[in-house]
Amino acid sequence: MLAAICAACTTETYDVVVAGGGASGTAAGVQCSRMGVKTLVLEQTPWLGGMLTSAGVSAIDGCYRLRAGIFGEFCDSLAQRYGGYDSLKTGWVSNILFEPHVGARVLDNICAGEKNLTVKKNVHFRYVRKHGGGWLVNADGIRYTCKVLIDGTELGGVAKECGAKYEIGNETGVIQDLTYVIIARDYGPGADKTIPEPEGYDRENYVNCCENALNNPATSKGQTLWSPQMMMSYGRLPGGKIMLNWPIEGNDFYVNVIDASRSERAKAFRQAKNKALGYLYFIQTELGMKNIGIADNEFPTNDGLPFIPYFRESRRIVGEARLTFEAVQDPYSYPEPLYRAGVAVGDYPVDHHHYANPDWKNLHKSYTPIPSFTVPAGVMIPVGVENLIVAEKSISVDNSVQGATRLQPVVMELGQAAGVIAALAVKNACRVREVDVRQVQTVLLEAGARIQPYLDLEPGDPDFKLLQKMGSTGLFKAEGRNVGWADEMWILTGGIPAARLDSMRVLDSLRHPFETSPVDWRGFDK
């Protein structure tokens, strides 16, 4: 009892507190620490990494050719552990696949090397309050005070508690399907890993998951039906495990729990788990793969499933800048020059999962091609709330483009950018919204990150930073392309002529327009 009373009275002080150690939150904490700022990351699960690890989505979507910054560091570590990048190309959904527990270890190792970073796991938030010019966070009865707070949670709940305005879903409030991923393994010929029939199991929910004798054209949703072998190799991981995260009559599940109570969420998650287990049960009993079972050496949970579901959609704050589908489609003609304030990049199509929704016919379709894009810094700065930065999937974007900004590489890059903004606010003794965008971009480039999605030059090239900076002024405009499934962006398709690079170098040597053209959070000249 005495220990409990003392714990309730404990207050710890940090410069920056990151609420949520997911993909964004972990990157934010690492970046803050590397800038000499005392930082705390609070994570509710036993693992860092969020959707990359705790949710089991261990197949990275996009940015394979745009690896840079902390995201690139994470990918390089995975490649080193598995024996090179070719060793990560085990399934056809991605060029970078890995076991979730390995990703968690990589992130632990990265964080362990940061002397200014403290990480606490299995922590549950109680409340957040203003504290002077900063914040007080109460988690499990311990109080943490900070100058800057970063929301890296899966659903943006901390931003809500801080008073940030937000939107949910489309115009009618519909959000994307979530998924309880299953990490399975093949236990070999003769093994029988058939699970008990899940509660509410209905075979008809899965008959069109792949080509099989039970296919029912009358209930088909028009999705491509692959062979069972292709379905099972979709998410094959290094080491032979199988990530079951199948969007075609598989384990996607529609429910909106963003503003739900704890009991409502628990009920919804049980239903989502049963939908996923029903998919596995169908594979075992109807497709004859009873040797495929839940991996017993992946998640240390009672049922072997991930710690959390894969949330594809969160709250979306009302920010100082708002990235829209139109801005991504044609950044140079859009009324606001958002690209000039870029701090993170992406190259994945607009991907919405709605087939588990009863109204799926009238909702956004997946895979709308777009050019590679940059995300402006202002999407992380909530209107009307001081010294709060919002990252992960809760940034200020429209419902459509959220289907591209929600993916792992983008949110990890946004986390790094959030860390830069927070650290600069602390070091410059200013409010978050007073931080200089150009200084943020400069620090990111020095840290090996990208602020523009150009494919012309790689980070190791001596002219890489010059190209990134010049493109951020608007003096040199890029060209977007779609090549098959790939989204691209080039300053000049096919490469940069020496004359153009020479002109950039001349401008740089005289008076760098990047340094002399400060911009606001939306990319406009100050």
Side-chain angles (χ1 to χ4, degrees):
M1 184 179 295
L2 180 60
I5 293 172
C6 291
C9 298
T10 300
T11 300
E12 299 180 14
T13 301
Y14 295 86
D15 293 319
V16 176
V17 169
V18 184
S24 258
T26 303
V30 170
Q31 182 61 44
C32 279
S33 174
R34 290 177 178 177
M35 295 176 69
V37 171
K38 186 180 179 183
T39 307
L40 170 68
V41 173
L42 299 171
E43 168 54 30
Q44 69 174 358
T45 75
W47 290 358
L48 293 175
M51 59 179 163
L52 284 165
T53 58
S54 293
V57 192
S58 55
I60 291 177
D61 294 304
C63 287
Y64 184 73
R65 299 169 69 187
L66 294 175
R67 300 190 306 274
I70 293 173
F71 164 64
E73 184 179 339
F74 174 69
C75 295
D76 288 345
S77 295
L78 291 173
Q80 184 176 12
R81 279 175 174 262
Y82 283 108
Y85 272 99
D86 285 343
S87 300
L88 305 181
K89 299 177 182 180
T90 49
W92 56 273
V93 68
S94 170
N95 286 321
I96 300 179
L97 298 103
F98 57 95
E99 296 160 284
H101 77 273
V102 172
R105 287 178 186 171
V106 167
L107 294 175
D108 279 344
N109 288 342
I110 292 174
C111 291
E114 302 303 328
K115 64 179 181 179
N116 298 307
L117 178 62
T118 300
V119 175
K120 296 189 178 185
K121 303 172 185 174
N122 295 306
V123 172
H124 295 86
F125 301 100
R126 293 191 178 180
Y127 60 80
V128 180
R129 295 176 182 167
K130 287 296 294 181
H131 180 74
W135 298 93
L136 183 148
V137 177
N138 187 303
D140 290 338
I142 299 177
R143 300 186 304 174
Y144 305 95
T145 61
C146 61
K147 299 170 184 174
V148 177
L149 177 62
I150 298 175
D151 183 347
T153 61
E154 294 295 316
L155 297 177
V158 169
K160 175 185 177 180
E161 293 298 316
C162 292
K165 298 178 180 178
Y166 61 90
E167 302 172 332
I168 294 178
N170 64 8
E171 62 277 4
T172 61
V174 173
I175 67 169
Q176 291 195 57
D177 305 336
L178 59 75
T179 303
Y180 251 103
V181 174
I182 294 177
I183 302 299
R185 57 179 287 201
D186 185 344
Y187 285 84
D192 187 350
K193 292 295 179 178
T194 305
I195 61 174
E197 182 177 301
E199 180 182 352
Y201 174 73
D202 183 351
R203 184 178 78 172
E204 293 304 310
N205 288 331
Y206 312 100
V207 294
N208 292 318
C209 68
C210 64
E211 295 175 334
N212 66 85
L214 297 173
N215 286 158
N216 185 354
T219 61
S220 172
K221 296 179 179 178
Q223 295 170 283
T224 300
L225 297 188
W226 302 87
S227 69
Q229 293 72 29
M230 286 293 286
M231 179 179 71
M232 299 305 290
S233 64
Y234 173 85
R236 186 169 294 279
L237 307 179
K241 292 176 185 173
I242 304 166
M243 180 193 71
L244 295 177
N245 178 26
W246 188 243
I248 305 170
E249 303 292 322
N251 44 339
D252 283 3
F253 181 78
Y254 178 71
V255 67
N256 185 345
V257 297
I258 292 177
D259 270 336
S261 66
R262 181 176 296 182
S263 61
E264 289 170 334
R265 285 186 183 181
K267 178 181 178 181
F269 294 163
R270 285 195 300 272
Q271 293 172 333
K273 283 187 177 184
N274 283 329
K275 177 70 182 301
L277 292 171
Y279 174 50
L280 175 60
Y281 186 72
F282 182 88
I283 291 171
Q284 295 171 328
T285 60
E286 301 293 351
L287 300 183
M289 301 183 197
K290 61 183 181 180
N291 54 305
I292 302 296
I294 297 172
D296 56 7
N297 57 350
E298 190 59 51
F299 290 104
T301 54
N302 292 334
D303 55 13
L305 297 183
F307 299 109
I308 58 174
Y310 175 26
F311 297 105
R312 291 186 178 84
E313 194 159 341
S314 172
R315 295 175 176 88
R316 305 191 316 278
I317 64 162
V318 178
E320 292 293 338
R322 186 171 189 260
L323 186 65
T324 66
F325 180 77
E326 292 76 19
V328 167
Q329 271 193 318
D330 192 354
Y332 303 108
S333 299
Y334 193 68
E336 297 180 355
L338 298 172
Y339 70 93
R340 298 177 70 198
V343 291
V345 302
D347 67 357
Y348 205 74
V350 172
D351 181 18
H352 280 246
H353 284 232
H354 288 298
Y355 283 105
N357 190 301
D359 193 35
W360 62 271
K361 289 183 179 179
N362 299 316
L363 297 172
H364 199 294
K365 298 300 185 288
S366 297
Y367 294 110
T368 304
I370 53 174
S372 299
F373 58 91
T374 185
V375 184
V379 301
M380 295 185 286
I381 312 301
V383 170
V385 183
E386 296 295 347
N387 294 328
L388 172 67
I389 305 169
V390 180
E392 192 64 26
K393 295 179 285 285
S394 301
I395 59 173
S396 179
V397 295
D398 70 13
N399 177 253
S400 178
V401 83
Q402 184 272 340
T405 59
R406 68 177 175 84
L407 298 163
Q408 310 103 316
V410 181
V411 300
M412 204 166 196
E413 295 163 21
L414 285 168
Q416 184 170 7
V420 172
I421 296 170
L424 289 176
V426 171
K427 294 167 77 73
N428 296 338
C430 67
R431 296 181 302 164
V432 161
R433 69 182 65 256
E434 294 171 342
V435 170
D436 179 15
V437 173
R438 290 295 191 220
Q439 190 177 7
V440 174
Q441 293 174 315
T442 298
V443 173
L444 284 170
L445 289 174
E446 292 300 320
R450 295 176 185 265
I451 59 176
Q452 300 295 336
Y454 312 143
L455 290 172
D456 302 87
L457 300 176
E458 293 299 315
D461 190 282
D463 289 311
F464 173 78
K465 293 177 186 176
L466 174 63
L467 182 68
Q468 293 278 305
K469 289 182 175 182
M470 286 297 183
S472 299
T473 65
L475 289 176
F476 295 89
K477 293 179 172 57
E479 176 185 327
R481 299 177 60 195
N482 303 114
V483 182
W485 291 93
D487 298 331
E488 300 180 355
M489 183 73 80
W490 300 82
I491 282 287
L492 186 67
T493 303
I496 307 174
R500 178 168 286 201
L501 273 175
D502 286 343
S503 65
M504 290 185 186
R505 295 189 189 107
V506 169
L507 284 170
D508 186 43
S509 66
L510 295 174
R511 192 168 183 232
H512 203 307
F514 180 85
E515 310 293 351
T516 58
S517 61
V519 297
D520 65 15
W521 296 108
R522 296 179 298 165
F524 286 114
D525 291 330
K526 279 191 173 180

